[in-house]
């Protein structure tokens, strides 16, 4: 007989050695061990579903979470802090009070009413709420619907509070006030990749603004993933894995999300101790503020993703290597991460240790933990017993560390791998934990709702989510009619198990209208008339009613913001998603049919990114509306310019809309150039290609007139977190690489994820996208002049070399605006459309 330790070694800290499990086994085959482990896992991990209804189970969770909240005085102070940062002149105008859920009919709510003895120097408006989030939400509701104000991210124009009357003159709330109840408990926020696409370079100052924004929008269940690598470092080093061995496990700062999910390892790394320490301290600040506001942070848990070194320490542990995830040629330097099988008791030991280590660092701050075991990976078998055992093990690992743990899982896998996750497999996973101990995010419910096709996730509580954005791309897009009605449809449907709404975009700071309406749905009991809401939104956003603007938003509501074709991909304009396409080997449709061509490339297996394009394929940008209608909306926007001088929200929208119109125009110019090439029409090839290149320059100039569209701000925010020159170079490389090549490449093959996180930023267009297009057109023109085939490989080699050089560059880019937005937009409209 041999001794086989399946738990942490005796050096494990914090008395975990008292829980070490030693199992004696005969030296049998690997298959024998797998069968025995499966029987073992079934014997003590598969947990019966509690015999109670979904509402009862969730109510028990809510009561437990209520007990963790900060004292009423601390929450009231936190809400006052939000007000002081938003409207410092009106701090004395509002009186905040925390009330119990019982006083709100057993649910969360806020109450807005006028003070009986209001004065210029005293409180005028009383806001009561069950938590500080409700107080902030009530404040926001009052400012919107009584004062006509607007609050959005700074990078989308910021706040419009000029319409708020001076202290002593605030509008009164009639009829004794209003009560707004939450029809469902939770308003969830973030995607697991938002931390990399949007938050990666944030300091506390920026995080403080974001948490204020969350509170004002009513978000009470935010993901809190910052700093987890520091926790993992402690856990794995307790397992005798060295810091050096972890260098190849953690990704670089801009790629942490995918290292966390087990998609890649080491890419962009290693992480310095400075980074780890800084992020841990930042996480403590983030959690402290969330808790003060009465939020319930969602912390990470263990999914089985482990360093390669664990195999050295536990040679008999059931550790397998996953398949390739989007490398160019299967290079295992970056791909094929290691997965500890959940049936191995070591899985539970590590998962428990991670939860306990978080509690040690942060305190007992939550009961809700995120884990996505099969994110964009297929389980090794569709056997329902195996799938159930995996789910039970994941939950057991959480509950051993926190007996009240609730597993929050993204439901993306049920869409992304729908061919695998049929009813038996879904039920096996969803029912592997007690009812109320798992909550599923219906991640893509705005377009592809799973609740409808899965009998409400077979009774498992779920959150109706808006996905909306991929890769943090800058593209005007939305489905306002879906947002304004379908969460209500889901909540009121027969046998509904819906317990919240959420926003799970991959990147933030774009399309503010979409996120404001979605946030409101957490307080809406009935569907919203989206057209009327859009009209009031435009008035609030700019602080006044302007006829031309309202007419323009009417058009935008019916076009850009009501995509009804069910297609997810809407970020493939040719300027920023340049096709690797050989026109010599393919036939382009006649230019008269180009409008028909501007349809999306349907992605295989529901993936949200393109694999390496085949030479014969020309990816076609997604166009779901009439460009002529949106050009008219732009004309109206420009005509309103004199009435909205100085408005930052107007400036942002004007630039974004002009960019949107011009980028669609550029798509047609590109297709015209390719058609001319295939007709061997050198003259028109030069004309259309020169127009395309000039348009890139023109859009770059337009974007330079607003500091929210500058590459420089992204790069400088990355460098500002560095404490030494080595980190500074690494962070800048990470920042440049994520928005361009993204992942690995060879001399002849671009990354499969190239341009996935593309951005319309001034500086990026001029110095990255423009040289790429110019080089491509040069090779096209040379092909015709020499009467030779297009040299695709030569272009690829030259372009990839340029890209790699640019990613490693250190040249500075502006962080301040250049030019005047309205004048530039008007000039470009006249140049291209008048």
């Amino acid at each position: 007989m041999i001794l086989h330790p399946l738990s942490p070694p005796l050096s494990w800290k914090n008395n975990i050695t008292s829980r070490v499990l030693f199992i004696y086994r005969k030296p049998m085959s690997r298959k024998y061990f797998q069968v025995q482990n499966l029987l073992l896992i079934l014997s003590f991990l598969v947990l019966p579903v509690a015999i109670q209804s979904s509402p009862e189970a969730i109510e028990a969770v809510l009561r437990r979470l209520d007990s963790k909240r900060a004292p009423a005085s601390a929450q009231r102070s936190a809400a006052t802090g939000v007000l002081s940062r938003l409207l410092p002149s009106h701090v004395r105008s509002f009186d905040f009070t925390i009330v119990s859920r019982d006083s709100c009919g057993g649910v969360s709510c806020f109450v807005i009413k006028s003070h009986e003895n209001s004065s210029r120097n005293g409180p005028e408006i009383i806001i009561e709420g069950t938590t500080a989030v409700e107080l902030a939400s009530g404040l926001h509701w009052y400012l919107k619907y009584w004062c006509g104000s607007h609050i959005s991210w700074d990078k989308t124009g910021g706040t419009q509070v000029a319409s708020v009357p001076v202290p002593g003159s605030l509008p009164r709330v009639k009829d004794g006030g209003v009560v707004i109840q939450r029809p469902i408990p939770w308003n969830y926020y973030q995607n697991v990749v938002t931390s990399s696409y949007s938050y990666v370079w944030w300091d506390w100052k920026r995080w403080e603004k974001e948490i204020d924004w969350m509170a004002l929008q009513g978000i009470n269940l935010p993901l809190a993933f910052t700093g987890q690598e520091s926790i993992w470092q402690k856990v794995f080093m307790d397992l005798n894995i060295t810091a050096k061995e972890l260098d190849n496990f953690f990704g670089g700062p801009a790629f942490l999300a995918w290292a966390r999910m087990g998609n890649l390892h080491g890419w962009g790394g290693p992480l310095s101790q400075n980074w780890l320490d800084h992020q841990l301290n930042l996480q403590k600040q983030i959690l402290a503020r969330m808790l003060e506001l009465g939020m319930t942070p969602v912390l990470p848990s263990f999914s089985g993703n482990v360093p390669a070194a664990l195999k050295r320490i536990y040679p008999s542990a059931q550790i397998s290597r996953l398949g390739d995830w989007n490398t160019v040629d299967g290079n295992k330097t970056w791909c094929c991460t290691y997965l500890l099988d959940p049936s191995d008791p070591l899985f539970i030991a590590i998962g428990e240790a991670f939860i306990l280590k978080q509690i040690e660092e942060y305190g007992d701050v939550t009961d809700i933990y995120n884990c996505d075991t099969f994110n964009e990976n297929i389980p090794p078998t569709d056997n329902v017993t195996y799938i159930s055992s995996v789910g039970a093990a994941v939950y057991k690992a959480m509950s051993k560390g926190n007996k009240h743990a609730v597993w929050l899982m993204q439901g993306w896998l049920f869409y992304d791998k729908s061919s695998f996750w049929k009813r038996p497999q879904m039920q096996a996973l969803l029912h592997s934990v007690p009812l109320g101990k798992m909550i599923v995010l219906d991640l893509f419910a705005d377009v592809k709702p799973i609740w409808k096709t899965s009998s409400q996730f077979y009774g498992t509580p779920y959150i109706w989510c808006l996905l909306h954005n991929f890769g943090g791309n800058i593209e005007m897009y939305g489905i306002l009619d879906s947002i304004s009605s379908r969460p209500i449809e889901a909540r009121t449907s027969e046998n509904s198990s819906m317990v919240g709404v959420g926003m799970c975009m991959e990147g933030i700071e774009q399309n503010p209208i979409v996120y404001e309406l979605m946030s409101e749905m957490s307080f809406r009991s009935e569907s919203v008339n989206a057209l009327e809401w859009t009209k009031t939104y435009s008035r609030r956003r700019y602080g006044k009613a302007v006829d031309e603007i309202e007419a323009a938003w009417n058009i935008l509501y019916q076009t850009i913001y009501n995509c009804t074709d069910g297609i997810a991909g809407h970020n493939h304009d040719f300027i920023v998603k340049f096709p690797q396409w050989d026109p010599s080997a393919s036939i382009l449709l006649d230019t008269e049919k180009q409008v028909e061509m501007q349809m999306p490339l349907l992605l295989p297996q529901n993936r949200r990114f393109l694999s390496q394009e085949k030479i014969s394929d020309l990816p076609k940008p997604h166009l779901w509306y009439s460009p002529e209608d949106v050009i008219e909306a732009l004309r109206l926007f420009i005509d309103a310019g004199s009435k909205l001088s100085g408005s930052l929200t107007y400036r942002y929208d004007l630039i974004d809309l002009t960019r949107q119109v011009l980028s669609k125009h550029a798509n047609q110019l590109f297709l015209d150039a390719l058609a001319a090439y295939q007709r061997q029409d050198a003259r028109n090839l030069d004309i259309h290609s020169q127009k395309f290149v000039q348009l890139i320059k023109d859009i770059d100039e337009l974007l330079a007139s607003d500091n929210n569209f500058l590459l420089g701000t992204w790069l400088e925010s990355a460098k500002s977190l560095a404490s030494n020159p080595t980190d500074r170079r690494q962070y800048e490389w990470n920042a440049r690489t994520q928005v361009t090549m993204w992942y690995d490449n060879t001399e002849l093959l671009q990354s499969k994820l190239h341009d996935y996180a593309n951005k319309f930023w001034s500086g990026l267009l001029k110095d990255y996208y423009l040289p790429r297009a110019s080089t491509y057109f040069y090779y096209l023109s040379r092909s015709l002049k020499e009467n030779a085939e297009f040299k695709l490989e030569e272009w690829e080699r030259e372009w990839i070399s340029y890209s790699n050089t640019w990613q490693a560059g250190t040249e500075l880019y502006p962080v301040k605006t250049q030019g005047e937005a309205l004048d530039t937009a008007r000039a470009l409209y006249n140049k291209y459309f008048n």
Side-chain angles (χ1 to χ4, degrees), residues 527-668:
S527 298
V528 175
N529 183 318
L531 178 59
E532 287 301 313
W533 187 91
T534 301
K535 179 185 289 187
T536 62
Y537 167 87
S538 71
R539 294 175 180 178
R540 295 195 308 270
R541 183 153 169 81
Y542 313 118
K544 64 175 75 172
V546 178
D547 290 342
E548 296 91 339
I549 289 292
E550 291 187 11
W553 271 106
N554 188 309
I555 294 172
L556 296 179
Y557 158 73
Q558 297 181 60
T559 53
I560 284 176
Y561 288 111
N562 257 317
C563 178
T564 58
D565 59 17
I567 301 300
H570 46 267
N571 54 351
H572 300 305
D573 288 336
F574 287 130
I575 288 177
V576 294
K577 185 72 175 178
F578 204 82
Q580 187 176 345
W581 189 71
D582 185 351
S584 299
S586 308
I587 301 299
L588 193 69
L589 295 179
D590 187 87
T591 52
E592 293 179 1
K593 297 182 180 179
Q594 293 311 316
V595 174
E596 297 177 19
M597 284 192 64
Q598 291 193 1
M599 292 294 290
L601 177 68
L602 300 181
L603 307 185
Q605 297 182 328
N606 299 327
R607 301 306 286 269
R608 47 190 199 275
F609 46 77
L610 294 171
S611 60
Q612 196 74 35
E613 300 98 335
K614 296 178 182 178
I615 289 178
S616 60
D617 292 336
L618 176 63
K620 305 168 188 71
H622 182 195
L623 188 63
W624 63 97
Y625 58 84
S626 164
E628 290 76 16
D629 290 343
V630 178
I631 291 171
E632 173 61 13
L634 174 59
R635 183 191 67 79
L636 291 166
F637 248 86
I638 291 171
D639 288 348
S642 60
K643 301 175 184 178
L644 293 170
S645 175
S647 168
L648 298 181
T649 48
Y650 168 76
R651 184 177 73 180
Y652 174 88
D653 290 344
L654 173 66
I655 291 174
D656 202 23
L657 181 56
T658 307
R659 175 212 55 75
Q660 178 87 5
V661 168
L662 292 176
S663 66
K664 304 309 175 190
H665 182 60
N667 292 339
Q668 187 59 55

Side-chain angles (χ1 to χ4, degrees), residues 261-273:
M261 291 186 288
N263 301 133
L264 54 80
H265 63 95
W267 178 252
L271 294 179
S272 68
Q273 194 62 45

Side-chain angles (χ1 to χ4, degrees), residues 191-197 225 228-229 249 255-265 303-306 322 325 337-339 370-377 410 412 506 608 742:
N191 190 297
V192 293
V193 302
T194 318
S195 57
S196 290
Y197 283 132
F225 266 26
Q228 63 176 279
E229 282 69 31
F249 178 62
F255 303 97
L256 284 177
W258 300 275
R260 292 165 180 171
M261 291 186 288
N263 301 133
L264 54 80
H265 63 95
S303 66
N305 182 32
V306 295
L322 296 176
W325 186 85
T337 54
Y338 292 86
L339 182 70
N370 169 261
C371 183
D372 297 305
T373 309
F374 299 118
N375 182 70
E376 298 188 354
N377 291 307
Q410 291 191 137
W412 177 256
E506 291 193 357
R608 47 190 199 275
W742 205 107

